[in-house]
C-alpha cells in the first residue's frame, strides 16, 4: 500500500452510501440468502458493524475504491454527502494542497499558521500539512468519512469531521498485484505491490507507483513571452501529473498478544503549478486603461460597484502608470497595459500566464503501531509517527506575460506525534482512555515580485498540543447503549515573523520590517496558548434487528493562531481566536428485506462560533474571525440490491446556513470587504444529490463477467470564497461518469474502460478575488478524461 499525491480525478460531488463493491463482492450469502455485505468501521476506535455505529459515517473498501475509479482521497467527495475536497488551496499555486469541508466547516488557507477544520488520519496518525495532503489510495483497506465534530476521540481540528484511512497490512502468503492505466492527455499510470512473508511471525509489503500525464490548460501567450529566466514552462503545462512514491510495511507478531506494525513511505511530485487562470482585471480611475463603463467590483447583494472599489487595483495602477511605457514584453513590445486583454476566451481551459511555474513536493513518513493484549479484556496501543514535507511552490497570480504578481515559497513542515490508548470491554461496558502529544515545526517563506518591489512574508512556527481523553459505552436493557466522552486539549503556538520589503530575494538583509511595536522595536516572536474541553454524548436504541435509532451531542475545537500575511506596517501581530462547534444529531440506520436494502439518514443542527475566514488588509488576504453561525441539514444514503446482478444507489444532502453574529475585524480591512449577514459559507452548497447503478452480466464463454457502472452527481450553487465574489460563484452543475469492466471468474485480472466528466463540464473549484491588488483568478475542475486500466494479481 502507498499514500502519495493525487491522480487528478474529476472533483465532482456524489453522495453515495457506504461501500459499493462490484456486485459479486458487495453481497454475502448466509443460509442461502444473498444480501449486502457487512461493513466494518472503526469510527469509535474499535471495530463495529456500520449499521450498529451511532455516527454519520460513509465507508469505502479497497475493491470499492477501484470500482469507482478513485485515485486519491480527494475523489471520495464524489461519493460522500456534504463533503467537499479541493486539491489546491487558493493563493498557494500548489497542485497538491488539501482543502476539506464537511457540513460547511473547514479551512481554505494553506498557511502554516492555520489549522484545518477536517482532520485526515492514516492508521491513526494525523496528517498536519495541507501541502502534500492529497493522498493516494493504493492498498488502502478502508476509508471512513466521519461527519460532524469528532473532538473526543480524534481531537483538535476535527470540528467538521475526520477522514480515517486504514491501510492493508501484509498478507500471510506471498502475493502481488500490478496495474497499468493509459488515457487521454498521454496519461500513463503504473502501480505494483508485493507481499513477502519472511517468517511465520514477520511479514512485509512493498508498494510503488508512478503517474504521468500532460496538462490540460493551454498556455496561449506568444511563444517569445515564455523564455524568461524565471519561466519554467518546459513540460510544465498546468493540470499535468508527474509523481512517484514507494511504501514499505512490516508486520511482526512475536506472540499472539503482541503486534508491531511499522511503515515507511516517500513520495516525489514534480508538476506544474495549480491550473489557475485569470477571470478579471481591476480598473483604477487613475489608470490609463480605465474604462468607467467596465465595472470591476461585482459581488453578492450588498457589495455592488462602488466609488471605493473603482479606485482600487493598486498593483495594476503602479505597473500601468510607471512601468508599462518602458518595459519590453517579449512577443508584445512596450506600452503593454495590464488589462482585460489577458483574460482568455475560455478561462476554464486557457491562460496567458508565462511566469513562475512548478510544484515540487517531497514527503517522507514513518510510523510504528504497537498493540498489546494485556489480558482477555484490556489492551494497550501505542502509535508513534514522524512526517516531513518539503515543497517549492510557484504562482503567476496575474495570469499574464507581465510581472504584476509572481509568488514563490520554499515550504518545510515536520511533525512528530505519540498516542497511547488503553481500552477494555466487559459484558455491558466498553471503554477507551488515552494520552496524546503532537509537535510541529514549519517554515513558510512566501515571497512575491511586485511592480512596487520585492515582498517577503516569512513565518517560522513551532506548535505543540497535548491531550487526555476517555470514552465509555454502557449497554442496558439489551437494546440501549449510552456513551459518554470527554477530551482536554492544550495548544501552545509560537511564530517568528519576518514581514517586509527587500531589495531583492538575493539580499534579504535589506528588509524593511512591517511589524514594529509601539516602542519602535521590530517584532520577532509571539506565542499564545489555547485550551478546551470537548464532551460528547450519545444514546442509541436497537428497535429491531433491522433498525437502529440514535441521538448524539458532540463538541469540537480548533485552535487560534497568527496571520502570516501582513503587507502594511502595524504595531502588533494579527491574531485570531479558536473555533468551537457543537452539534445535535439524530439518525436512523436500517437494513432489511433480507439485507437487500440499506437506508442511513441523519439530521443535525450545529452552533459554529469564532469562524476563521479570509479578510483582506490592503492587498493581503489573512485569517481573522469573521462571525458565528447556525448550520442545519440532513443526509440520506440508500443502497439497494433489487436483483443479484443490479445495485442502485441514491443520496441527497441538504445544508442551510445563517450568520448569527458578525465579528469586528481589523480596521485595515476596507468597509466593502466586510462579511455581510446574508453571505454564505465557502464550499457549502445547499443541495447535492447523486444516482448511480452497477450491473453485472455473466459471460460464461469467457470465464468472467461484464460490469457496467454509471453515476450522475449534482451541486447547487457554491460560493468559492468567504467574501462571496460573484465571479467565483459556481452556478448549479452536474457531472456524469461511467465505466465498463471485464473481470475474470478467479478475480486474477480485470480490464476497465472508463470516462469521467463525460459532458466536459466547466466549473470553478476554488479561487481568489483580490479587488485591491487588481486581479481575479480561479482554479477549474478537470475536463473530460478517459482511458483504460488493466489489473493483474498473482
Amino acid at each position: 500500500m502507498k499514500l502519495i499525491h493525487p491522480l487528478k480525478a474529476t472533483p465532482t460531488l456524489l453522495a453515495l452510501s457506504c461501500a459499493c463493491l462490484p456486485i459479486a463482492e458487495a453481497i454475502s450469502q448466509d443460509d442461502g440468502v444473498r444480501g449486502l455485505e457487512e461493513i466494518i468501521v472503526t469510527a469509535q476506535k474499535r471495530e463495529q458493524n456500520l449499521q450498529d455505529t451511532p455516527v454519520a459515517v460513509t465507508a469505502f473498501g479497497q475493491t470499492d475504491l477501484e470500482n469507482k475509479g478513485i485515485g486519491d482521497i480527494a475523489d471520495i467527495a464524489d461519493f460522500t454527502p456534504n463533503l467537499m475536497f479541493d486539491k489546491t488551496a487558493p493563493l498557494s499555486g500548489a497542485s497538491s494542497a488539501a482543502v476539506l469541508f464537511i457540513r460547511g466547516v473547514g479551512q481554505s488557507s494553506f498557511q502554516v499558521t492555520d489549522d484545518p477544520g477536517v482532520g485526515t488520519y492514516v492508521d491513526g496518525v494525523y496528517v498536519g500539512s495541507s501541502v502534500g495532503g492529497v493522498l493516494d489510495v493504493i492498498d488502502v483497506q478502508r476509508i471512513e468519512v466521519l461527519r460532524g465534530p469528532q473532538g473526543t476521540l480524534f481531537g483538535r481540528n476535527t470540528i467538521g469531521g475526520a477522514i480515517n484511512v486504514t491501510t492493508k497490512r501484509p498478507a500471510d502468503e506471498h502475493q502481488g498485484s500490478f496495474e497499468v492505466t493509459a488515457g487521454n492527455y498521454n496519461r500513463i499510470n503504473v502501480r505494483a505491490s508485493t507481499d513477502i512473508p519472511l517468517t511465520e511471525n514477520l511479514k512485509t509489503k512493498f508498494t510503488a507507483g508512478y503517474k504521468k500525464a500532460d496538462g490540460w490548460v493551454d498556455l496561449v501567450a506568444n511563444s517569445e513571452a515564455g523564455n524568461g529566466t524565471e519561466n519554467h514552462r518546459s513540460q510544465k503545462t498546468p493540470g499535468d501529473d508527474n509523481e512517484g512514491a514507494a511504501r514499505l510495511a512490516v508486520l511482526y507478531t512475536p506472540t499472539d498478544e503482541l503486534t508491531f506494525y511499522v511503515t515507511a513511505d516517500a513520495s516525489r511530485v514534480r508538476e506544474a503549478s495549480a491550473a489557475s487562470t485569470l477571470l478579471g482585471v481591476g480598473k483604477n480611475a487613475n489608470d490609463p486603461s480605465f474604462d468607467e463603463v467596465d465595472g470591476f467590483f461585482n459581488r453578492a447583494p450588498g457589495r455592488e460597484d462602488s466609488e471605493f472599489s473603482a479606485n482600487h487595483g493598486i498593483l495594476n495602477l503602479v505597473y500601468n502608470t510607471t512601468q508599462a511605457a518602458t518595459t519590453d514584453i517579449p512577443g508584445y513590445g512596450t506600452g503593454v497595459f495590464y488589462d482585460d486583454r489577458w483574460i482568455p476566451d475560455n478561462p476554464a481551459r486557457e491562460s496567458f500566464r508565462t511566469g513562475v511555474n512548478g510544484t515540487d513536493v517531497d514527503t517522507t513518513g514513518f510510523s510504528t503501531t504497537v498493540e498489546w493484549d494485556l489480558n482477555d479484556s484490556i489492551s494497550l496501543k501505542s502509535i508513534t509517527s514522524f512526517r516531513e514535507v518539503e515543497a517549492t511552490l510557484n504562482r503567476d497570480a496575474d495570469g499574464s506575460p507581465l510581472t504584476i504578481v509572481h509568488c514563490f515559497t520554499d515550504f518545510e513542515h515536520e511533525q512528530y506525534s505519540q498516542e497511547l490508548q488503553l481500552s477494555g470491554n466487559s459484558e455491558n461496558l466498553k471503554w477507551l482512555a488515552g494520552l496524546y502529544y503532537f509537535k510541529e515545526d514549519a517554515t513558510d517563506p512566501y515571497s512575491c515580485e511586485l511592480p512596487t518591489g520585492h515582498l517577503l512574508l516569512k513565518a517560522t512556527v513551532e506548535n505543540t498540543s497535548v491531550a487526555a481523553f476517555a470514552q465509555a459505552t454502557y449497554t442496558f436493557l439489551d437494546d440501549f447503549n449510552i456513551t459518554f466522552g470527554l477530551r482536554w486539549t492544550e495548544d501552545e503556538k509560537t511564530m517568528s515573523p519576518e514581514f517586509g520589503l527587500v531589495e531583492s530575494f538575493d539580499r534579504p538583509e535589506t528588509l524593511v520590517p512591517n511589524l514594529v511595536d509601539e516602542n519602535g522595536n521590530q517584532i520577532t516572536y509571539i506565542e499564545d496558548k489555547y485550551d478546551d474541553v470537548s464532551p460528547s454524548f450519545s444514546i442509541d436504541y436497537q428497535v429491531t434487528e433491522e433498525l437502529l435509532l440514535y441521538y448524539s451531542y458532540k463538541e469540537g475545537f480548533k485552535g487560534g493562531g497568527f496571520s502570516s500575511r501582513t503587507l502594511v506596517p502595524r504595531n502588533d501581530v494579527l491574531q485570531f481566536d479558536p473555533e468551537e462547534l457543537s452539534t445535535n444529531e439524530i439518525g436512523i440506520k436500517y437494513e432489511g428485506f433480507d439485507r437487500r436494502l440499506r437506508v442511513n439518514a441523519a439530521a443535525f443542527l450545529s452552533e459554529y462560533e469564532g469562524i476563521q475566514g479570509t479578510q483582506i488588509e490592503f492587498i493581503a488576504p489573512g485569517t481573522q474571525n469573521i462571525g458565528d453561525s447556525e448550520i442545519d441539514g440532513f443526509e440520506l444514503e440508500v443502497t439497494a440490491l433489487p436483483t443479484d446482478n443490479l445495485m442502485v444507489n441514491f443520496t441527497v444532502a441538504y445544508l442551510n446556513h445563517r450568520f448569527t453574529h458578525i465579528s469586528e475585524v481589523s480596521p485595515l480591512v476596507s468597509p466593502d470587504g466586510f462579511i455581510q449577514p446574508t453571505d454564505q459559507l465557502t464550499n457549502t452548497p445547499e443541495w447535492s444529490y447523486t444516482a448511480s447503478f452497477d450491473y453485472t452480466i455473466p459471460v460464461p464463454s469467457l470465464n468472467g463477467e461484464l460490469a457496467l457502472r454509471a453515476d450522475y452527481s449534482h451541486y447547487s450553487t457554491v460560493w468559492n470564497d468567504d467574501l462571496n465574489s460573484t465571479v467565483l460563484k459556481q452556478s448549479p452543475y452536474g457531472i456524469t461518469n461511467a465505466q465498463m469492466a471485464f473481470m475474470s471468474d478467479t478475480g486474477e485480472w480485470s480490464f476497465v474502460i472508463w470516462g469521467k466528466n463525460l459532458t466536459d463540464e466547466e466549473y470553478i473549484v476554488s479561487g481568489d478575488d483580490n479587488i485591491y491588488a487588481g486581479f481575479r483568478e480561479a482554479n477549474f475542475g478537470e475536463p473530460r478524461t478517459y482511458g483504460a486500466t488493466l489489473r493483474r494479481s498473482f
Side-chain angles (χ1 to χ4, degrees):
M1 182 273 167
K2 74 177 165 63
L3 293 169
I4 61 174
H5 304 280
L7 163 68
K8 308 270 202 265
T10 305
T12 67
L13 178 71
L14 300 172
L16 290 183
S17 181
C18 40
C20 174
L21 308 178
I23 300 302
E25 301 190 33
I27 61 178
S28 62
Q29 184 166 341
D30 298 327
D31 300 327
V33 177
R34 295 167 65 82
L36 295 168
E37 183 71 57
E38 179 184 54
I39 299 170
I40 301 299
V41 297
T42 55
Q44 299 191 102
K45 295 204 171 181
R46 55 186 170 90
E47 291 190 350
Q48 291 176 279
N49 185 334
L50 174 70
Q51 297 307 107
D52 297 334
T53 306
V55 178
V57 56
T58 299
F60 306 87
Q62 181 186 18
T63 307
D64 188 33
L65 298 170
E66 293 176 352
N67 194 45
K68 289 179 169 65
I70 295 175
D72 57 62
I73 62 172
D75 299 336
I76 62 177
D78 301 359
F79 308 96
T80 307
N82 282 330
L83 168 65
M84 305 284 284
F85 200 139
D86 297 337
K87 298 181 183 182
T88 182
L91 308 175
S92 70
S95 63
S96 175
V99 175
L100 292 88
F101 282 76
I102 294 180
R103 294 178 174 177
V105 179
Q107 176 62 264
S108 295
S109 173
F110 76 104
Q111 299 176 41
V112 297
T113 52
D114 291 327
D115 291 328
V118 176
T120 300
Y121 295 80
V122 181
D123 291 331
V125 175
Y126 171 64
V127 179
S129 172
S130 168
V131 177
V134 187
L135 310 174
D136 204 310
V137 297
I138 298 176
D139 277 353
V140 167
Q141 179 177 332
R142 184 176 61 254
I143 299 178
E144 303 163 27
V145 182
L146 286 60
R147 297 187 293 277
Q150 307 297 321
T152 298
L153 290 181
F154 287 86
R156 58 196 284 274
N157 305 337
T158 58
I159 60 173
I163 310 295
N164 187 27
V165 180
T166 302
T167 66
K168 188 176 181 181
R169 295 193 172 190
D172 293 333
E173 299 179 352
H174 185 203
Q175 63 183 32
S177 63
F178 178 81
E179 175 184 310
V180 60
T181 295
N184 61 335
Y185 297 102
N186 294 316
R187 174 171 296 282
I188 293 292
N189 298 343
V190 180
R191 297 173 173 177
S193 179
T194 183
D195 293 77
I196 304 175
L198 301 178
T199 69
E200 183 179 353
N201 298 327
L202 182 61
K203 306 174 182 68
T204 65
K205 174 185 280 287
F206 180 75
T207 307
Y210 178 70
K211 302 175 182 180
K212 187 172 179 61
D214 295 340
W216 44 266
V217 174
D218 187 13
L219 300 177
V220 296
N222 291 349
S223 60
E224 294 89 342
N227 294 326
T229 58
E230 292 179 346
N231 177 59
H232 309 290
R233 284 176 53 183
S234 176
Q235 300 179 346
K236 292 276 190 176
T237 305
D240 67 329
D241 274 345
N242 185 6
E243 57 192 73
R247 186 174 187 274
L248 174 67
V250 179
L251 180 64
Y252 177 50
T253 54
T255 68
D256 293 340
E257 295 78 22
L258 185 61
T259 300
F260 295 86
Y261 183 46
V262 181
T263 66
D265 64 86
S267 63
R268 183 178 187 270
V269 175
R270 295 294 184 268
E271 297 173 349
S273 304
S276 60
T277 190
L278 188 67
L279 291 185
V281 175
K283 303 293 185 179
N284 189 291
N286 298 318
D287 193 316
S289 65
F290 179 74
D291 181 355
E292 190 172 355
V293 178
D294 182 13
F296 168 71
F297 188 47
N298 184 22
R299 296 188 183 277
R303 293 200 188 90
E304 291 82 1
D305 290 8
S306 65
E307 180 180 354
F308 177 87
S309 60
N311 283 283
H312 282 70
I314 302 300
L315 301 181
N316 305 12
L317 173 65
V318 172
Y319 181 87
N320 288 348
T321 57
T322 66
Q323 298 184 21
T326 58
T327 301
D328 180 67
I329 307 300
Y332 294 94
T334 57
V336 180
F337 291 125
Y338 184 61
D339 53 28
D340 55 15
R341 78 185 71 189
W342 305 117
I343 303 173
D345 294 336
N346 182 9
R349 303 289 182 261
E350 298 175 337
S351 175
F352 279 99
R353 73 187 202 183
T354 62
V356 292
N357 189 357
T359 294
D360 296 354
V361 183
D362 295 314
T363 303
T364 55
F366 306 90
S367 70
T368 300
T369 300
V370 182
E371 298 169 285
W372 185 16
D373 294 332
L374 302 178
N375 56 42
D376 291 341
S377 60
I378 299 179
S379 298
L380 178 66
K381 176 186 274 191
S382 169
I383 305 174
T384 307
S385 77
F386 172 80
R387 295 194 67 81
E388 181 179 36
V389 179
E390 295 182 351
T392 299
L393 312 175
N394 299 301
R395 173 170 166 259
D396 182 355
D398 56 71
S400 77
L402 315 181
T403 302
I404 309 298
V405 185
H406 290 175
C407 296
F408 329 77
T409 185
D410 291 317
F411 178 93
E412 296 182 5
H413 181 274
E414 292 183 356
Q415 68 171 72
Y416 168 81
S417 65
Q418 173 64 58
E419 182 169 353
L420 294 175
Q421 301 174 13
L422 187 66
S423 61
N425 67 82
S426 60
E427 183 178 356
N428 295 321
L429 181 66
K430 297 179 178 64
W431 56 270
L432 173 74
L435 300 172
Y436 181 75
Y437 174 79
F438 176 84
K439 185 178 188 298
E440 65 180 346
D441 297 281
T443 302
D444 180 11
Y446 191 78
S447 54
C448 294
E449 183 179 4
L450 311 174
T452 54
H454 296 76
L455 177 72
L456 176 64
L457 302 173
K458 182 179 180 180
T460 302
V461 304
E462 180 177 316
N463 304 326
T464 59
S465 179
V466 294
F469 59 93
Q471 179 168 296
T473 299
Y474 179 71
T475 302
F476 61 99
L477 300 179
D478 294 332
D479 299 320
F480 285 89
N481 291 300
I482 185 168
T483 301
F484 290 97
L486 196 68
R487 188 183 191 103
W488 168 81
T489 303
E490 181 179 84
D491 288 354
E492 182 175 351
K493 295 190 173 184
T494 68
M495 180 178 75
S496 297
E498 297 179 51
F499 301 161
L501 297 176
V502 296
E503 182 176 323
S504 71
F505 298 137
D506 296 329
R507 299 184 61 190
E509 67 275 5
T510 60
L511 180 73
V512 178
N514 281 349
L515 296 176
V516 179
D517 65 21
E518 295 178 350
N519 298 320
N521 301 315
Q522 183 176 349
I523 300 174
T524 59
Y525 181 82
I526 186 171
E527 64 178 342
D528 209 341
K529 286 186 177 181
Y530 312 93
D531 60 76
D532 180 75
V533 175
S534 301
S536 64
F537 165 80
S538 71
I539 185 168
D540 61 90
Y541 173 44
Q542 193 74 46
V543 182
T544 68
E545 290 185 0
E546 300 173 332
L547 179 63
L548 175 76
L549 303 178
Y550 72 87
Y551 161 79
S552 68
Y553 172 81
K554 297 181 179 180
E555 294 185 4
F557 161 78
K558 185 174 80 166
F562 323 105
S563 178
S564 60
R565 303 286 187 264
T566 296
L567 299 189
V568 292
R570 54 184 305 146
N571 58 14
D572 61 351
V573 175
L574 181 63
Q575 292 187 243
F576 50 89
D577 294 326
E579 289 184 350
E580 295 182 355
L581 185 80
S582 60
T583 297
N584 289 276
E585 178 176 310
I586 57 173
I588 66 168
K589 297 196 172 186
Y590 172 81
E591 186 175 87
F593 295 93
D594 294 327
R595 301 194 319 278
R596 287 183 174 270
L597 176 65
R598 183 177 292 151
V599 180
N600 293 340
F604 57 90
L605 173 63
S606 297
E607 300 286 341
Y608 192 10
E609 299 181 354
I611 301 171
Q612 297 168 7
T614 299
Q615 296 274 243
I616 300 177
E617 286 191 338
F618 182 51
I619 64 172
T623 300
Q624 299 187 41
N625 300 103
I626 61 175
D628 306 331
S629 74
E630 288 186 352
I631 306 173
D632 60 79
F634 68 83
E635 298 136 357
L636 173 66
E637 307 175 89
V638 180
T639 302
L641 195 65
T643 73
D644 290 348
N645 298 85
L646 176 65
M647 177 179 287
V648 294
N649 296 267
F650 174 78
T651 61
V652 60
Y654 169 76
L655 278 176
N656 177 47
H657 153 263
R658 54 204 166 274
F659 274 108
T660 58
H661 170 72
I662 302 297
S663 298
E664 182 177 349
V665 295
S666 161
L668 296 175
V669 175
S670 169
D672 61 355
F674 291 173
I675 297 294
Q676 302 295 318
T678 55
D679 284 344
Q680 296 298 301
L681 293 175
T682 303
N683 279 337
T684 309
E686 184 177 17
W687 290 96
S688 57
Y689 62 85
T690 185
S692 70
F693 76 87
D694 294 80
Y695 185 68
T696 60
I697 305 171
V699 187
S701 61
L702 297 178
N703 298 318
E705 66 179 14
L706 187 67
L708 306 177
R709 174 180 173 82
D711 53 62
Y712 174 78
S713 60
H714 184 83
Y715 277 124
S716 64
T717 299
V718 178
W719 297 92
N720 281 295
D721 70 337
D722 291 320
L723 294 179
N724 283 192
S725 164
T726 55
V727 173
L728 297 180
K729 171 186 174 183
Q730 176 56 55
S731 300
Y733 70 100
I735 297 291
T736 302
N737 304 324
Q739 71 174 34
M740 178 175 63
F742 182 82
M743 297 169 287
S744 67
D745 286 339
T746 62
E748 293 182 348
W749 67 273
S750 65
F751 181 73
V752 185
I753 299 174
W754 52 267
K756 298 181 179 181
N757 191 11
L758 293 176
T759 59
D760 203 22
E761 190 80 12
E762 298 177 354
Y763 56 98
I764 298 173
V765 296
S766 65
D768 171 46
D769 185 358
N770 195 328
I771 61 167
Y772 312 102
F775 57 85
R776 295 159 159 163
E777 56 177 336
N779 301 301
F780 283 82
E782 294 184 23
R784 180 192 299 115
T785 56
Y786 51 85
T789 299
L790 176 66
R791 297 188 180 101
R792 178 73 167 89
S793 60
F794 53 87

